[in-house]
Amino acid sequence: WLPALQLLRRGSKAVTRHWKAMHLQRQKLLAVTEYLPPRPAVPPRCLPRPAAPGHQEDGHARVLRRQVEETLRSSRMVAVCQYNSMPDEDVVMLRHYLRRHNIHLKFVLNEIVRPVLAQSKYRNLLPLFVCRNILLVSPETRAREMLRVLKGVPQVNLLGACIDDTILSRQGVENFAQLPPLEVSQGQTVAALSLLSSQTSSLLQRGPAHLTALLDEHIRRLRDAAGELTEPPPGQSAG
């Protein structure tokens, strides 16, 4: 017969390993035989820093950077704009309206375009690339048409531009757009220069022309006086 409830007690194991101090002779032997590395001839702080491991450039980033370089090289007008989120249909329409004036819209990444700008003549445009930006590039100076298109797109804000190797702010671009076309300016300049030269020529010719007129008048008077002396009186014959 076994009871319905049995209590079993398991005894704990006896601890047979206790910490024991190392013998003094063994401590001396370990201290004597401890390895001491040789001291370097040059302190480590005097050595040049090891070069950082080279970061291998991504092939896709290299292609994008080359495209940005070609775009900047072949463009007379480069405008930097701040881009806010807008529907895809509006982006397509914006591209269409800009392309009608030979202006192209380029989406660029800051980590791609900033190294390119730092090594080019557009390095002063670097402070504008702090958020999501787009580039409006054109082989011609179409500032007036660009402002007219951007006026109806509030999601795209013009920050600055570089036109004919001249960096302009937004106000500078607006002032540039109000200037007459290049052909008209050249015509006005040529007219102003020709007017000055014609006035100078007339001033230089006025003295000789006046002297010539005076001499002609004097000769005419001398001839008239000589003719009156040689002409006989009306009552006498020529014989």
Side-chain angles (χ1 to χ4, degrees):
W1 177 82
L2 294 176
L5 179 62
Q6 292 183 355
L7 299 177
L8 298 179
R9 181 181 180 183
R10 295 182 180 181
S12 60
K13 295 183 180 180
V15 179
T16 58
R17 294 183 180 182
H18 295 278
W19 179 84
K20 186 177 180 181
M22 187 180 301
H23 197 272
L24 182 60
Q25 294 183 355
R26 186 176 180 181
Q27 293 181 9
K28 292 181 180 180
L29 179 62
L30 291 178
V32 171
T33 58
E34 184 181 1
Y35 173 75
L36 296 178
R39 298 180 60 183
V42 180
R45 62 177 179 274
C46 298
L47 297 175
R49 294 183 179 181
H55 177 66
Q56 187 175 3
E57 187 178 9
D58 188 11
H60 182 60
R62 193 184 308 114
V63 172
L64 294 178
R65 191 173 294 112
R66 188 180 302 114
Q67 292 179 356
V68 173
E69 293 177 356
E70 295 176 357
T71 301
L72 296 178
R73 191 181 303 112
S74 60
S75 302
R76 293 179 56 190
M77 183 184 72
V78 179
V80 183
C81 301
Q82 180 184 2
Y83 175 77
N84 299 317
S85 180
M86 54 188 303
D88 297 338
E89 295 81 2
D90 296 344
V91 176
V92 173
M93 294 300 299
L94 177 61
R95 284 180 181 271
H96 172 69
Y97 289 137
L98 291 174
R99 195 172 299 173
R100 291 173 58 183
H101 303 289
N102 198 15
I103 303 174
H104 304 278
L105 188 148
K106 303 289 184 180
F107 284 92
V108 293
L109 298 176
N110 292 344
E111 56 269 17
I112 297 296
V113 70
R114 289 182 68 89
V116 177
L117 294 178
Q119 301 177 0
S120 65
K121 58 185 178 182
Y122 302 100
R123 62 178 62 90
N124 291 332
L125 294 176
L126 284 174
L128 301 180
F129 290 87
V130 294
C131 56
R132 190 177 183 185
N133 302 98
I134 60 175
L135 294 180
L136 303 181
V137 296
S138 175
E140 303 174 3
T141 56
R142 298 298 184 91
R144 184 178 304 174
E145 293 80 0
M146 178 185 65
L147 292 177
R148 189 183 303 117
V149 175
L150 294 181
K151 187 177 181 180
V153 185
Q155 292 86 356
V156 179
N157 301 320
L158 179 63
L159 301 178
C162 182
I163 302 177
D164 287 339
D165 299 337
T166 304
I167 296 179
L168 303 173
S169 62
R170 179 183 178 89
Q171 185 63 35
V173 175
E174 294 177 355
N175 296 336
F176 180 84
Q178 296 176 359
L179 296 177
L182 181 60
E183 294 77 7
V184 178
S185 300
Q186 291 176 350
Q188 294 176 356
T189 304
V190 171
L193 295 177
S194 61
L195 178 61
L196 294 176
S197 61
S198 62
Q199 290 178 354
T200 304
S201 177
S202 62
L203 289 176
L204 294 176
Q205 294 178 1
R206 180 180 300 177
H210 185 61
L211 179 59
T212 302
L214 292 177
L215 293 177
D216 291 343
E217 182 66 21
H218 182 65
I219 293 172
R220 186 183 62 79
R221 290 182 179 180
L222 291 177
R223 288 177 180 177
D224 293 344
E228 292 178 356
L229 292 177
T230 56
E231 183 179 357
Q236 299 179 2
S237 62

